[in-house]
């Protein structure tokens, strides 16, 4: 995967008009940029694919395809990169978008949830309390699920505000890694991701 991503970066500028003739699921993954700054950064930068109009459109379409015919009332995106995919998905579905924020940014009444992120850092996320009512069908979106800690915290917030009577309608991310946390989410919720099965092991091992 690193080789494919590096190949797409040979030119200093992205060709926004270049689209493969056969747009198979995940073709846009090669648009992601590999880490060139060392171990203090994530191994890939998926946000590069958002710059490509067809790549972004197909990515969002693939994320939403498994939820066709399933009622969704609202899309919730996780701070920060989940805002991009979540808002794009909400626009396609013509639904509202709820931002699940890192703590300390909302000036309204909130509900907070501590969690450990993929890097092992202890953090807190929060969500406004006036947007989710019991029974609301919510699709949770983030850019990536690595250890699952961030997504599990978002699920906990949604379920707490929903009166524990209804789990999120589903979870969507470009990649849901085969980690302990990723498996926990897959086993309990309807999930959608963009990685073809043949490439999943390479994503799991960050290759």
């Amino acid at each position: 995967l690193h080789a494919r991503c590096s190949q797409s970066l040979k030119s200093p500028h992205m060709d926004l008009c270049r689209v493969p003739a056969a747009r198979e699921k995940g073709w846009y993954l090669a648009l992601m940029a590999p880490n060139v700054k060392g171990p203090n950064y994530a191994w890939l930068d998926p946000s590069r694919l958002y710059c490509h109009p067809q790549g972004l459109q197909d990515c969002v379409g693939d994320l939403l395809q498994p939820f066709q015919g399933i009622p969704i009332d609202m899309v919730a995106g996780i701070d920060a990169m989940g805002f991009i995919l979540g808002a794009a998905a909400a626009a396609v579905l013509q639904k509202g978008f709820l931002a699940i924020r890192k703590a300390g940014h909302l000036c309204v009444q909130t509900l907070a949830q501590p969690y450990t992120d993929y890097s092992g850092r202890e953090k807190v996320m929060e969500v406004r309390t006036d947007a989710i009512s019991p029974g609301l069908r919510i699709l949770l979106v983030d850019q990536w699920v690595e250890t699952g800690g961030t997504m599990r915290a978002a699920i906990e917030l949604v379920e707490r505000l929903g009166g524990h009577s209804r789990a999120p309608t589903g979870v969507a991310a470009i990649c849901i890694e085969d980690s302990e946390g990723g498996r926990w989410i897959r086993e309990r919720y309807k999930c959608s991701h963009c990685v073809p099965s043949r490439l999943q092991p390479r994503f799991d091992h960050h290759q």
Side-chain angles (χ1 to χ4, degrees), residues 22-137:
R23 299 195 334 258
E24 299 178 351
K25 177 182 178 179
W27 71 267
Y28 41 79
L29 297 175
L31 296 170
M32 298 188 296
N35 176 356
V36 297
K37 290 189 174 181
N40 292 329
Y41 294 83
W43 72 291
L44 277 178
D45 173 27
S47 68
R48 187 173 184 267
L49 79 83
Y50 306 152
C51 301
H52 193 287
Q54 191 65 57
L56 176 59
Q57 181 177 322
D58 287 355
C59 176
V60 173
D62 286 342
L63 286 177
L64 293 179
Q65 195 281 329
F67 299 102
Q68 287 186 0
I70 297 176
I72 294 173
D73 300 315
M74 180 184 289
V75 178
I78 301 174
D79 199 344
M81 301 309 292
F83 292 170
I84 300 171
L85 287 177
V92 170
L93 294 171
Q94 297 184 330
K95 301 297 180 180
F97 174 77
L98 173 66
I100 298 178
R101 302 296 310 274
K102 293 183 176 73
H105 296 287
L106 292 172
C107 63
V108 296
Q109 187 70 33
T110 61
L111 185 66
Q113 179 67 35
Y115 68 101
T116 303
D117 73 2
Y118 70 94
S119 67
R121 289 176 291 184
E122 298 293 328
K123 296 183 177 180
V124 178
M125 68 171 58
E126 61 183 4
V127 66
R128 61 189 312 125
T129 59
D130 59 358
I132 299 178
S133 56
L136 200 67
R137 295 164 295 196

Side-chain angles (χ1 to χ4, degrees), residues 2 43 144 146 177 201-207:
H2 269 286
W43 72 291
W144 208 272
E146 187 169 337
E177 294 188 19
R202 298 174 66 178
F203 277 79
D204 293 337
H205 294 93
H206 297 182
Q207 296 176 341

